Amino acid sequence: MAIIKSRKCLAGAHVAHHKNTTEKETKQLPLSKKVTIPLLQHMGAPCEPLVKKGDHVCTGQKIGDNSAFFSVPVHASCSGVVEDIVSFTNIVGATCKAVVLAVDEEQQQAPVSRPVIETREQFLDAVRESGLVGLGGAGFPAHVKFGYRDIDKVDTLVVNAAECEPYITADYRTCIEARQDIVDGVRAICKFLNLSRVFIGIEDNKAFAMEVLDEAFSPEDHVTVVSLPSVYPQGAEKSIIYATTGITVPRGKLPADCGVIVSNVSSVAHLGRYLKTGMPLIEKRITVDGDAVSDPQNLMVRIGTPVRDILTYCHVSEDDCGKVLMGGPMMGSALADIDAPIVKNNNAVTCFLEKSSLLPKTTACIRCSKCIGVCPMRLMPAKLEKAYDKRDAEQLERLCVDLCINCGCCSFVCPAKRHLAQKNQLAKAFLKELKSKEDKKA
Amino acid sequence: MSKWTVSPSPHMLSSNSTSNIMFDVIVALFPALLVGIYVFGPRALIVTLVCVAACMLSEFVIRKLMKRDNTLGDFSAIVTGILLAFNLPPQIPLWVAALGSVFAIVVVKQLFGGIGQNFANPAITARIFLFVSFSTYMTTWTVPFGYQHMADAVASATPLVDIASANTLDLFLGNVSGCIGEVSAAALLLGGIYLSIRRVINPLVPLTFIGTVFVFTWVLGENPVNHIFAGGLMLGAIFMATDYSTTPATLRGKLIFAFGCGVITTLIRVFGSYPEGVSFAILLMNLITPLIDRCTQTKPFGAGGKQHV
Ligand code: SF4
Ligand code: SF4
């Protein structure tokens, strides 16, 4: 067992850490009176409601599912009565149904029990039933990732505990507070997917988490804790694979194609706990911070809790606050409505004061190449922007805009304050639209 | 309308800004300016002020005429003004200095779209323009500290003409005749170190330029130490070959650029009919920068081919 230093890693930006909540033990947020549980909290097909208006549901009861493979069931995060089933638009603009629960006093738990697993199929079923999606990113269904067609060629698990976003410490607290769950989760994944080595990537500003995890595993687990430089975005999937294993995931390929599966540390912890208790994903550890939060916290929050309740609990004054983010400042999405519910892949609520919410004026590119220097994907954002402004599809392809992971480093460093990362997102949408038009013609 | 600001990520930006960068360049030019004033007297300061004022005024007026926003706040016109003054002999008539400034800003910079768009370095191009148009004024040198003995405008050849016999320490400290900002290698190096620490420039670029001149002049049997301390090499390598607009984008490209500058400078100095080659070298390399850029693009991660930055 050892903690090793990563020898080579991809570029990034030196972003202020603001990890104010590392020592803040997770507190349980009191239950809200009402929760709104969207039936699409994953990449893939939205779930159909399994309950109807007026039904009583128990904590942990399945309330939405879809027989499609690319879908993940949704569970009631509290017990209560289904007040309504409404249509809901999520943060990326997709629409689905959402179950609105009036939370009751009794808080009855559904009769859950420890799943019995002997085979890989049963394991994958259990992963699906646990409601697990990629908790660190876009909510990719975990059973799909683990059920990769050539899983026998995969031998490496990379546990992503880098937590490179400023402010957020939820994963760090998971490492400290749920270390046994992480160990159990890692062991189960390795056992059923037959993986032989494990790397846990953690940024070097979290030395204690490295020690804790290093001690928690035994030598038979073949776990190596890898210390990553605290340069944002070391937690990006391709970055952490490169930094821990040295493997370059080629353009257009999945990590699994290269023999690697990456899982966020919170996902692993949830899985470990589920296999012991049978309680599906109903709550998330969330960091509440930002310059508008005077008392930053780590909170355990039930899925579906309105962000407004979290702000109230943390005494965030709505008058001073100008911007509320789902997630951290580098990749989080700004909320237009603070009644939006917490979903599975949220790990933070970041609030900024009015004065820090406004973006500075954009000026002319001075060709300083800072954007090129920080891009982890080695793209040329300044050039990409020009290509997009000209709607030059060929040039965008040639410059590999598809590789952009929207990490925001380029926009962050740009002295001219150009919206480079956003332009790349627009460029990707533009290429997609172009392609679908061509497909229609053909 | 909701009260919440909704904008795309990232929501946190660095403190970098164009004006901060230009301000750093101005700070880095200060030691050389002080030495220039010390060696050549108040006249050096007056020429510098005239250039800066003319640059700012012409930038303001031309942007107005072209109906574009006012860009004086990015300080880049001030940088151009100081750099041009540094490239002029202290006894230059003030109207010539002003004319050079207007040329630099209007013709070289703004007609091509302003900051970041010009392909040639404004100060260098203006220097060459003045050199070609007013070669007498541009080659009338002042003896160092002449102003203290009321002996202004005494012609004295620049050390480049007779490089073998020049005193290395004088070259290093600035006790020589020459252009206002070129005389002290030490002061320019100080500025270069500051810019490197502030990450405004990559020190490998001037090092490559200077190193190339050193090696090639040595190979050709010249005095390499005097060569690197004399003339406009330090000024050109530290402040002009690192200009963002007119040099390649990637580090590989920048190093090729610097190497090319070094080779051309040496060739002109040793074999050419002009004693100084730095300005021509940089301008020539400016012209082929688009070509270098095309050949030195980054290889995106995992997109095949060899990986380098
Ligand atoms: S171009 Fe994309 S991947 Fe590169 S720094 Fe910008 S957002 Fe990140
Ligand atoms: S960081 Fe901004 S100013 Fe610098 S080259 Fe990139 S786009 Fe241009």
Side-chain angles (χ1 to χ4, degrees), chain A residues 383-399:
Chain A
K383 239 184 141 117
L384 281 164
E385 189 193 23
K386 292 210 179 80
Y388 174 69
D389 287 345
K390 283 193 238 140
R391 301 292 188 277
D392 184 344
E394 208 178 298
Q395 175 80 333
L396 287 170
E397 288 277 2
R398 201 174 320 124
L399 295 171

Side-chain angles (χ1 to χ4, degrees), chain A residues 323 352-361, chain B residues 5 7 11 13:
Chain A
K323 195 192 256 183
F352 284 126
L353 291 173
E354 203 98 52
K355 64 171 164 47
S356 25
S357 303
L358 297 170
L359 292 176
K361 207 176 126 238
Chain B
T5 308
S7 55
H11 305 277
L13 300 180

Side-chain angles (χ1 to χ4, degrees), chain B residues 3 46 53 68 103 110 124 126 155 174 193 218 226 256 262 276:
Chain B
K3 96 165 208 84
I46 294 171
R68 298 200 168 181
F103 179 82
Q110 291 299 345
I124 286 210
I193 292 169
W218 194 22
N226 279 5
I256 293 173
E276 179 55 303

Side-chain angles (χ1 to χ4, degrees), chain B residues 24 27-29 31 186-196 201 238-239:
Chain B
D24 272 337
V27 170
L29 286 166
L188 292 165
L189 279 173
L190 204 63
I193 292 169
Y194 175 77
L195 289 184
S196 306
I201 65 168
I238 296 170
F239 291 95

